[in-house]
Amino acid sequence: MRPTVKVLFSLGLFLLLLIVLAAWTGAKASVIQQELQRSNILIAHLQQAVLDNNPDLAAQKVDALQESTKAARKASEDPVWVIASAMPWIGPNVSAISEVARSADDVATLGLKPLVEVVGTIDWSTLMPSGSGADLSSIEQAGPRLAAAAHAVSASASRLEGIETGGLLGEIAEPLVDARNQLRTAGKTLTAAGDAAGIAAKMMGSSEPRRYLLLIQNNAEVRASGGIPTALAVLTLDKGKMEMSEQTTANALGRMQVPVGVESEQEAIYSTRIGTFMQDVNLTPDFPTAATTASNIWRKKTGQTVDGVLSVDPVALSYILDTTGPITLSNEAISAVSPRLPSELNGDNVVKVLMSDVYSAIPDPAHQDLFFAAVAKEIFSTLAAGSGDPTGLFEGIKRGVDGQRILLWSAHAEEQRTVEKYPVGGSVSRESIPAAQYGVYFNDGTGAKMDYYVKRTVQLIKECPRDGYEQTTVRVTSTNTAPADAATSLPEYVTGGGTFGVPAGSVETNVIAYGPVQANVETAKVDGEQTGFAPYLHSNRPVGVLAIRLAPGESRTVDFTFGKIVQQTEPNVVVTPGVQDVKDVTLPTAAALCD
C-alpha cells in the first residue's frame, strides 16, 4: 500500500473512530440528561412527601431517585465516555457532566436516603413538648445520621465548586452552576437539621430537667430585638413535659441597684440601662447579650438560675394560635378586663388585643400585666395539652424563627455554640453572619406604646463605587399613622403624655444601623439633608445611631451611607421585627445610576 494511501486510510479510520466516539458519547449524554431530569422531578415529589409527613411515599420516591442517579452515574463511567473526557475541548465538558452525575448519586445515596429514613422514624405527634412528656429518643438518634448526610452533600458541593466553568459550553455550565447552588442550599439545610437534632433532646430535658426564662416582648414599645419584655415566666421541660411557673412582670422586678455588667462596646451604644432594668435588656439587638443579662438579673432578683432564655412576641403567638385554635381566658384574666376585650383570643385578634386594645380597655398598668400573664399562661397551657397539629405547629414556630420573633439562648456553652450559628440565636456578631449583612434596629424614645402606629420600610441602595471601594446606603422610612387627635383620643399610657419630653401623639425612635465588618459609616441624612449622628463599633461592625421624632401623620427618611466595603457578595439586611410582617418592611435592593 502506497504511503499516501496509508495516510488517507489512517485518517479515515481516525475520523470513523471520532464519529463512533461522538455517537456513543452523545448517546450516553442523552441517558445522563434524561436520568438527571427525571431525578429533578422525583426530588420535587420527594420534598412534597416529606412536607406531607408521608414516610412511605417518601421512601418510594427516594428509591426511584436512586435508580435514576445510579443510571446516570453508570453512563458517566462508561469506558468510551472516560476516553472522551481526556480529549481536548470536549473533555472538560464531559468531565463536568460526569461530576454532576456522580454528585447526584452521592447526594441521593448518602444524603437523601438517610434523611428519609430519619423522617420515617420520627413521630412528630409525640415530639412536641406537652403536659405528659415527649418521646425524645428518635430525635436523639437522628442527629448523627443527619450530620453524616450533611457531610456527604457538602463534599459533593465542594467537588462541583472545584470545576472551572469559564471554558465550558453554556448548556453544560448553566446546569452545573444550578447544581452547585442546590447542593449548597441542601447542605446548609441538612447541617442545620443535624445541629438541631444534636441538641434538641438535651434542651428539652432528656437527661435532666431544664428551666428557661420566658420573655414576652411587646412590639408596641419597640426594642432592638422586637419589643419591651412585659410578662415573664419560667418554663420547665422534663423529658419533653412542659410546665409554666414563677409568672411575674419586668416591672415587678424593679431596678437593679448595681447594674449587671455588659461589655463596654455595647454599654457605650445602649447605656447601662441594659443591666439596670429587665425592660431594657434588649436595647441591644444582640440577643445573647440581652439573654445573658436577663438571666443574671433574674438570678440576682429571685435566686434562681435558669438553663436558657426564650423570647416570643405577640405575632409569634398568633402563629401558634393559628394551629392550636382559639383560647378562652380564665376568670382571673376576665376579672381584670372590661367587656371591651374579647374573652376568646385567636390568631386573627391576639396581636391587636395585646398591642393596642388592652391599653384602652385596662387603664391600670398592673392589671395590664395581669392580663398579659394570663394570656401567656393560657397559650402555653394549650401547647402543653397537645392541642393543634404538630406539623402545623412546627411550621408556625419556623415562621416565628425565620422572622426572628422567636429567639433562644442556652446557658450551656456547647449548646449555645450551635444556637448562635443560626437566626434563632439573634446574634449580630456570630461567625456565620453573611459577609455583606446590614442591620436596622429601633429603640423607643417615647416611653410609651406608640410603635403600634408606626409603619416602616427599609431598603439597601448600592451606591457608585468610591476610591475603589463599594458603598451602600441603608434607607429607613418611618410614618406615624396615629390619628391627628392622638394626644386626646389615645390613652395617656399609650402616648406617654409627654413624660419624656415627647409631645403626646408623637413618636421618638432611635434608629440604629449596622454595617459589614471593617466598613465605615460615612454619612447620615434625614429627609435628604446631611445631619450629625453617633458613630460606634460593635464586634468590628460599624454602627450609626440617630433619633427622629414623628408627629401624627408625619413621615421621615433616614439614610446611613456605609463606605470602604470590602465584601463583594450580595448584601442583605436584618430588621427589628415589629407589628408589620418583615417581608412588608424590607424592600428589594436597588442600585444607583453610575457613570
Side-chain angles (χ1 to χ4, degrees):
M1 185 179 296
R2 294 178 181 179
T4 303
V5 175
K6 287 182 177 180
V7 171
L8 292 174
F9 179 79
S10 298
L11 182 59
L13 182 60
F14 180 68
L15 289 173
L16 179 61
L17 287 172
L18 282 180
I19 293 171
V20 171
L21 181 62
W24 187 266
T25 304
K28 292 299 179 183
S30 178
V31 171
I32 295 171
Q33 181 187 34
Q34 290 174 6
E35 295 297 346
L36 291 181
Q37 286 177 343
R38 181 168 176 257
S39 297
N40 282 336
I41 295 172
L42 287 167
I43 286 175
H45 291 166
L46 172 61
Q47 182 180 19
Q48 191 59 52
V50 172
L51 291 175
D52 292 341
N53 195 25
N54 189 335
D56 292 337
L57 181 59
Q60 295 174 17
K61 295 301 180 183
V62 81
D63 288 342
L65 175 63
Q66 279 188 288
E67 290 180 8
S68 287
T69 59
K70 285 187 182 302
R73 182 170 190 158
K74 183 178 180 181
S76 73
E77 293 173 346
D78 179 87
V80 177
W81 184 270
V82 173
I83 292 172
S85 68
M87 298 182 67
W89 184 72
I90 192 66
N93 291 277
V94 172
S95 295
I97 296 173
S98 297
E99 282 298 337
V100 172
R102 279 195 287 272
S103 294
D105 191 41
D106 284 347
V107 169
T109 303
L110 303 176
L112 297 180
K113 180 74 171 178
L115 174 63
V116 169
E117 290 173 349
V118 166
V119 170
T121 64
I122 295 176
D123 184 354
W124 299 101
S125 64
T126 64
L127 190 58
M128 286 294 295
S130 68
S132 59
D135 179 10
L136 303 177
S137 59
S138 60
I139 200 70
E140 284 183 297
Q141 297 165 7
R145 302 184 70 179
L146 288 172
H151 176 75
V153 172
S154 297
S156 296
S158 297
R159 287 206 308 269
L160 295 189
E161 294 285 355
I163 300 175
E164 176 57 52
T165 60
L168 301 182
L169 295 171
E171 53 267 37
I172 304 298
E174 188 174 339
L176 174 61
V177 171
D178 288 343
R180 284 177 179 173
N181 294 336
Q182 290 175 13
L183 286 181
R184 195 180 300 120
T185 300
K188 289 179 179 178
T189 301
L190 281 171
T191 298
D195 284 346
I199 64 173
K202 285 184 179 179
M203 294 190 74
M204 292 170 65
S206 62
S207 56
E208 59 181 1
R210 292 293 185 90
R211 291 165 56 85
Y212 296 92
L213 178 62
L214 174 66
L215 306 180
I216 306 288
Q217 295 192 41
N218 186 347
N219 318 74
E221 184 174 344
V222 72
R223 293 289 187 272
S225 69
I228 184 172
T230 50
L232 310 174
V234 171
L235 286 179
T236 300
L237 293 175
D238 185 5
K239 294 180 175 58
K241 182 179 180 180
M242 182 169 66
E243 294 181 346
M244 177 183 281
S245 59
E246 285 92 17
Q247 281 192 274
T248 185
T249 66
N251 192 52
L253 289 182
R255 179 192 185 103
M256 292 291 297
Q257 296 304 315
V258 179
V260 171
V262 178
E263 66 179 16
S264 58
E265 278 188 334
Q266 294 190 71
E267 190 174 283
I269 305 172
Y270 303 108
S271 82
T272 57
R273 291 184 65 87
I274 292 180
T276 304
F277 301 98
M278 184 68 85
Q279 298 94 317
D280 293 328
V281 294
N282 57 341
L283 285 172
T284 171
D286 188 63
F287 189 69
T289 299
T292 303
T293 307
S295 69
N296 285 334
I297 291 176
W298 183 260
R299 177 173 53 82
K300 290 177 181 295
K301 286 289 187 178
T302 68
Q304 299 173 352
T305 299
V306 294
D307 294 289
V309 176
L310 174 66
S311 175
V312 299
D313 71 5
V315 178
L317 293 178
S318 76
Y319 300 157
I320 294 172
L321 289 178
D322 282 339
T323 302
T324 64
I327 58 169
T328 301
L329 298 179
S330 65
N331 291 333
E332 177 187 25
I334 294 173
S335 67
V337 307
S338 75
R340 295 169 60 187
L341 285 181
S343 60
E344 183 179 277
L345 296 180
N346 54 52
D348 293 328
N349 69 4
V350 68
V351 172
K352 186 173 184 293
V353 168
L354 293 183
M355 291 196 204
S356 178
D357 295 349
V358 65
Y359 302 114
S360 299
I362 311 176
D364 184 353
H367 285 172
Q368 293 167 7
D369 291 341
L370 176 63
F371 183 74
F372 279 113
V375 171
K377 180 179 180 180
E378 196 62 42
I379 290 176
F380 281 89
S381 295
T382 300
L383 277 175
S387 299
D389 169 57
T391 303
L393 279 175
F394 276 111
E395 284 299 312
I397 292 171
K398 179 181 181 301
R399 187 179 175 190
V401 168
D402 290 344
Q404 294 202 293
R405 298 183 182 281
I406 297 176
L407 298 169
L408 177 65
W409 171 80
S410 174
H412 300 263
E414 184 178 351
E415 295 168 2
Q416 178 57 20
R417 281 193 290 271
T418 297
V419 171
E420 70 181 7
K421 288 163 55 178
Y422 299 101
V424 71
S427 172
V428 301
S429 59
R430 69 182 191 271
E431 292 183 4
S432 57
I433 286 179
Q437 183 174 97
Y438 294 80
V440 176
Y441 308 104
F442 308 103
N443 277 321
D444 173 65
T446 316
K449 301 296 185 287
M450 287 295 295
D451 280 293
Y452 180 78
Y453 297 97
V454 180
K455 306 302 179 187
R456 299 181 173 98
T457 61
V458 174
Q459 184 177 36
L460 299 181
I461 301 171
K462 297 174 73 172
E463 303 287 359
C464 304
R466 179 181 175 186
D467 300 329
Y469 290 99
E470 298 294 322
Q471 290 192 112
T472 298
T473 292
V474 178
R475 175 163 293 168
V476 184
T477 300
S478 305
T479 304
N480 182 355
T481 67
D485 62 349
T488 55
S489 65
L490 296 178
E492 184 174 314
Y493 190 79
V494 173
T495 66
T499 304
F500 291 92
V502 180
S506 293
V507 183
E508 185 157 299
T509 306
N510 290 313
V511 181
I512 306 140
Y514 277 59
V517 168
Q518 297 180 340
N520 288 338
V521 191
E522 303 284 356
T523 61
K525 296 179 180 179
V526 176
D527 296 334
E529 297 292 327
Q530 192 159 321
T531 187
F533 67 96
Y536 299 98
L537 276 178
H538 180 186
S539 294
N540 208 25
R541 295 184 66 181
V543 180
V545 182
L546 62 79
I548 59 170
R549 184 177 293 180
L550 301 171
E554 186 178 13
S555 292
R556 307 204 79 175
T557 296
V558 173
D559 288 341
F560 283 104
T561 297
F562 291 85
K564 294 191 176 179
I565 299 168
V566 298
Q567 293 82 2
Q568 300 298 316
T569 56
E570 193 64 23
N572 73 307
V573 63
V574 175
V575 180
T576 293
V579 180
Q580 299 163 267
D581 196 310
V582 173
K583 66 179 177 59
D584 296 327
V585 175
T586 52
L587 303 178
T589 300
L593 295 176
C594 303
D595 294 335

